[in-house]
Amino acid sequence: DDVAKGKPDPEPYMAGAARLKLRPDQVAAVEDSATGRRAARAAGLVVIAYDLGCAKLPDADYVTNDLSRILSVLAAHRPEKKRGAVGV
């Protein structure tokens, strides 16, 4: 309700980062939908795809099918690193 546009527009993610007083590359989005991943990518966030058995997820920085591993993904992430899907 706090933003005019929802996903796939990046506004929800941009507003969230701004409220946290963080740069978008300091924020991660865990998404299981292409719409959410597009919104997060457009906002400049780190995109973690929760893989529900999809084929390729090229729009994600990281891919996992185990939510318990997300903290290790975030610990390994460095904003200055180049983006590229990495199976975790």
Side-chain angles (χ1 to χ4, degrees), residues 4 19 39 48 58 77:
R19 284 195 185 126
I48 301 172
H77 173 73

Side-chain angles (χ1 to χ4, degrees), residues 39-87:
R41 169 69 64 228
L45 274 63
V46 175
V47 180
I48 301 172
Y50 181 61
D51 182 9
L52 299 172
C54 301
K56 295 182 180 180
L57 298 165
D59 55 352
D61 295 302
Y62 302 95
V63 178
T64 187
N65 61 2
D66 183 351
L67 291 177
S68 69
R69 298 186 73 189
I70 289 176
L71 289 179
S72 65
V73 169
L74 293 174
H77 173 73
R78 299 288 180 266
E80 65 277 3
K81 286 175 71 175
K82 290 186 177 181
R83 297 178 187 260
V86 175

